[in-house]
Amino acid sequence: MHSVPPQQPRTGQRGQEAARTGKTPISPLTAVGDVSWSAMRDSTGCATAIPLLLDGVASGDAQTAATALKELRERICQYGFVVEQATAATVPFLWELAQLPQVTCRARILHLLKNIADTRQWESIADAYPKLLNHRENPAVWERAAREAVHAHQDALDVLVSDDDTEIVHATTELARTLGRQTC
């Protein structure tokens, strides 16, 4: 797996943009520090790398964002259908990033959200082996929480379906269909 290079401090980026535009931009991911990532697991173990990966996605640099999103996907929705404990906590930040025009991989974020909303891997296994539900670490619960997190932020679809980028509109429409929601 690839590591995402450290980003410049956000204060420097904000200061540069404020000087260029005369406005101070809204900082994305301000609540990421409120999550206890060290108490959660992703597919590689401890989920402490997730904030750095989210920051890489938010960076504005297309290559950094693509690399970060690829690694993030492997950590929270491996193979496109196996979610982890940290997935539900990551979903609100994915929704936030999908709505920011400066994020270069918004359509891929929407596809990731669709994959998470489609997951039924652990629940299918639990149907065949109900004892799975008795384990302290219950991946079927993680999966349900991740799907619920995607559903909880679906109001963003109304804004995203009106985006100027047709790739965003298409990905939004697919996600809305998965969520059983009509888009205007």
Side-chain angles (χ1 to χ4, degrees), residues 5-22:
Q7 301 300 309
Q8 294 178 351
R10 290 241 181 252
T11 54
Q13 291 172 344
R14 280 194 301 265
Q16 291 170 1
E17 186 163 333
R20 189 174 54 250
T21 64

Side-chain angles (χ1 to χ4, degrees), residues 30-47:
T30 56
V32 79
D34 297 339
V35 177
S36 181
W37 299 105
S38 62
M40 286 184 249
R41 299 185 56 76
D42 64 22
S43 68
T44 66
C46 186

Side-chain angles (χ1 to χ4, degrees), residues 120-141 143-144:
R120 300 287 186 281
Q121 177 70 17
W122 293 116
E123 284 184 357
S124 298
I125 292 170
D127 286 345
Y129 303 100
K131 288 184 179 185
L132 175 72
L133 299 173
N134 298 328
H135 288 250
R136 183 175 62 86
E137 290 191 2
N138 187 336
V141 170
E143 188 175 76
R144 197 171 313 115

